[in-house]
Structure formats: C-alpha cells, structure tokens
Amino acid sequence: QLQLQESGSGLVKPSQTLSLTCAVSGGSIGGGEYSWSWIRQPPEKGLEWIGSISHTGSTYCKPSLKSRVTISVDRSKNQFSLNLSSVTAADTAVYFCARVQVKYSSSEYFDFWGQGTLVTVSS
Amino acid sequence: QSVLTQPPSVSGAPGQRVTISCTGSSSNIGAGYDVHWYQLLPGTAPKLLIYGNTNRPSGVPDRFSGSKSGTSASLAITGLQAEDEADYYCQSYDSSLSVLHVVFGGGTKLTVL
C-alpha cells in the first residue's frame, strides 16, 4: 500500500519561504506515469490545489500561486518537495501531498494522500 | 469563494439517505470534466470516495454513490452510519483563466443525528 508522509517546518516567518517534503513509501515515485501534487486547507476553509509535478518533471500550478511555487522531485530519495516563497498569514494551512491518478477519467484526481502537516506563518 | 458550489452542511439520522450536491458551470463540470469526491476526517489522510463521477475505489462501501448531470454532480450516502460524519469535497478541472487547473468545492459537513 502506497503511503505518503509530509515533513517540514511548522512555523515560517512572513516573507520567507515555506519548504515541505513528501516521502513516498510502498512504491517508487518514478514507477509508472504518475504525477504528484500538493494541496492545502487553511483553517476553517476548504481544500485548495497548489500544484503538481508530472513524471516528466514538468510542473503546473494554480494560476494565482504560480509565481511563488516551486515543486521538485528527488527520485534517489523517493520524495518530492514544495517551496512557497514570500509567504503571508494567508498561507497558514494544513498542507497535504498526494498522488495524481488519471485512469478512467477526463480529469485528474488524487488516490493516495498524506495525513497533512500544519504550517503556520507568523513572526 | 469556490468555483464548485456545495452546501455548507447536511444532516441525517442513522439509516437514512443523504445527498450532497456540487454545482459548477460551463468551464468545469459542464465542459465534460469528470467529478471526484473525497471524505475528510480530522487528523487522517483524505480518502478518495468516488472517481470519474460514478466509480468507487476498492474498499469503499456501495452505500456511497456518485452521479453527474449537466453542470452538477451529486454524492449519495445510503444507510447512514455514525462513522460517515465527516467533511466531503467534490473536485474537477476548470478551464477558465486560459489554463486547465484543478478545482475543489467548498466542502460539506455531514452530521449524523
């Protein structure tokens, strides 16, 4: 069974860069033509897709976040990462990593998720 | 404000049937993009409930079903159980803003009375 686990700094100062890593176990991140995503949930709000990285290494992001988001994959460590620059209090959220699936569908969906990690932006 | 609109809350007694709607527009559900549903319980990894409008992943009880028509989709839960109390989200693609991107509904809190 595939498992994903987020890790990273739980407290980030405003204007700094938020950095998170998602460790994948129970399967190879490079196995199969999967993409990998980051999704977040601000306190008392709904889910928000941040962006994804495909098996070819290309990235695609929510348009409003595109200028601040960097997503990368480290196949040697079987993990992928998120950097979100110039953070503000509005970036405070639980951040989830997930595997993207496109089988039997005209739109991608997320079949395996991590439990999420809370990141607070505060001075 | 979410691109996909869900009711903030629904409720039902054990054993009853409830439905959760997900209303979109011509740039997402109405454009033919599939809808998927997730269940969120506090402190646990979100769970995929329905993919491709109507399909259940292995392990999801057949009490959960999905449908889609026009610019809307629905999740139905029959034989409501206490363990179904959770937040539910729909998700699809949207082609506005000149780029295809993933969108979620605002979420619906299900209370089992």
Side-chain angles (χ1 to χ4, degrees):
Chain A
Q1 181 82 338
L2 195 72
Q3 292 188 322
L4 291 79
Q5 180 66 58
E6 306 88 350
S7 64
S9 176
L11 181 62
V12 183
K13 289 182 167 52
S15 80
Q16 293 190 341
T17 295
L18 176 160
S19 295
L20 295 174
T21 295
C22 180
V24 178
S25 59
S28 171
I29 200 170
E33 297 183 348
Y34 293 110
S35 297
W36 304 87
S37 270
W38 289 96
I39 296 152
R40 69 182 181 180
Q41 184 178 27
E44 306 303 319
K45 293 188 178 180
L47 295 173
E48 178 186 26
W49 175 70
I50 298 170
S52 305
I53 185 164
S54 75
H55 66 283
T56 63
S58 63
T59 58
Y60 48 108
C61 305
K62 181 175 181 176
S64 61
L65 297 174
K66 185 179 180 181
S67 63
R68 299 196 291 131
V69 169
T70 302
I71 299 175
S72 59
V73 167
D74 187 337
R75 287 183 171 78
S76 67
K77 294 183 178 178
N78 218 38
Q79 64 186 33
F80 62 105
S81 299
L82 169 70
N83 279 356
L84 182 65
S85 64
S86 305
V87 297
T88 70
D91 296 308
T92 293
V94 173
Y95 285 75
F96 298 97
C97 58
R99 189 179 80 169
V100 179
Q101 180 62 269
V102 293
K103 272 186 184 179
Y104 315 118
S105 179
S106 62
S107 65
E108 65 189 57
Y109 55 99
F110 309 103
D111 59 351
F112 289 95
W113 296 63
Q115 289 193 326
T117 186
L118 175 63
V119 178
T120 301
V121 178
S122 174
S123 56
Chain B
Q1 193 164 350
S2 302
V3 172
L4 304 178
T5 301
Q6 298 180 233
S9 63
V10 297
S11 63
Q16 285 190 333
R17 177 181 186 271
V18 296
T19 61
I20 298 173
S21 60
C22 176
T23 303
S25 67
S26 59
S27 66
N28 41 69
I29 299 175
Y33 297 118
D34 286 343
V35 178
H36 321 289
W37 292 90
Y38 304 90
Q39 179 190 60
L40 269 69
L41 289 162
T44 65
K47 179 182 179 181
L48 175 67
L49 278 183
I50 298 289
Y51 67 93
N53 305 316
T54 60
N55 303 296
R56 278 179 288 106
S58 173
V60 173
D62 59 6
R63 301 186 297 105
F64 294 89
S65 63
S67 63
K68 174 190 165 185
S69 178
T71 58
S72 296
S74 290
L75 173 71
I77 309 172
T78 58
L80 208 56
Q81 299 180 2
E83 67 201 49
D84 299 331
E85 188 161 289
D87 294 329
Y88 294 84
Y89 288 84
C90 60
Q91 175 250 311
S92 186
Y93 268 164
D94 188 275
S95 57
S96 61
L97 306 176
S98 302
V99 62
L100 198 61
H101 56 280
V102 172
V103 290
F104 285 96
T108 298
K109 181 174 183 57
L110 168 63
T111 301
V112 180
L113 301 171

